[in-house]
Amino acid sequence: QAPREASEAARAAAQDALAIDPQLGEAVAARASVQAIYDWKWLDAERGFQHALSLAPSYATARQWYALNVLTPQGRFEEATEELEKASELDPASSSIAVGRGIIAFYARDLHKAAGSFEVVVRGHPSFALGHYFLGQCRTALGEPAKGIEAFEAAARLADDSSETLAALGNAMALDGRHADATDVLRRLDERSSRGYVSPALQAQVLVGLGRHDEALDRLEHAAELRAADLIWLGVRPAYDPLRGELRFQHLLSLLGLAAT
């Protein structure tokens, strides 16, 4: 579903719930997520989450969203970790919260710690695709794209070849010198985008791996026009590191209200 439709539907559902119960912390948190992911209104989102947590302090998901969707994109990793630890105390069995620890470490460039965290997750939850997906990203960022490919292929089997996993696989293939395979992945993503929504930021990841930086920036600028949800991690995602010296990339960060990290 395209970002505008998905975000407006989520916002409307939250507003409907709040019309019934203005003190419903879960709905306040959902609205705050939209303010971060779609509106890029970071201060409003932060205030929203703080209000949500004052209303529902035991709602672990709100702390998880606050950590990953507001604090992490801004490079506020210590605060994000603190919120996620509180979420884990509230819901210790959650695999998504457990993988969140590794996600924060990954975006903070503590890659060995992140990889170790994801390895623990996939051992305990071998069918959890997100764990394999982020383990693959760690291995690729550590300069081990062949190991990254192995993890992405596992994630793809578990997640029915999701576009996000395909993009990361294509990036790793390119970095592993498998340019024809990476180009084929790019073609598959382009075909999907002709039939339905695919974030242009995903194709950009493959293009970066292939060294086609101007085309990657074109896709990222299109993603910004669409307000693609995955763009909020633009400032911290290692896959985009080769673009960080480009003025167009710096302009995109400014447009999103994010500082270079």
Side-chain angles (χ1 to χ4, degrees), residues 232-250:
I232 64 169
W233 297 286
L234 185 69
V236 295
R237 192 183 291 275
Y240 300 129
D241 283 357
L243 304 179
R244 296 194 186 281
E246 301 282 349
L247 288 177
R248 290 168 67 189
F249 189 86
Q250 295 299 318

Side-chain angles (χ1 to χ4, degrees), residues 44-60:
D44 288 348
E46 181 157 7
R47 288 170 174 163
F49 275 113
Q50 289 172 349
H51 182 45
L53 291 170
S54 72
L55 296 171
S58 62
Y59 183 39

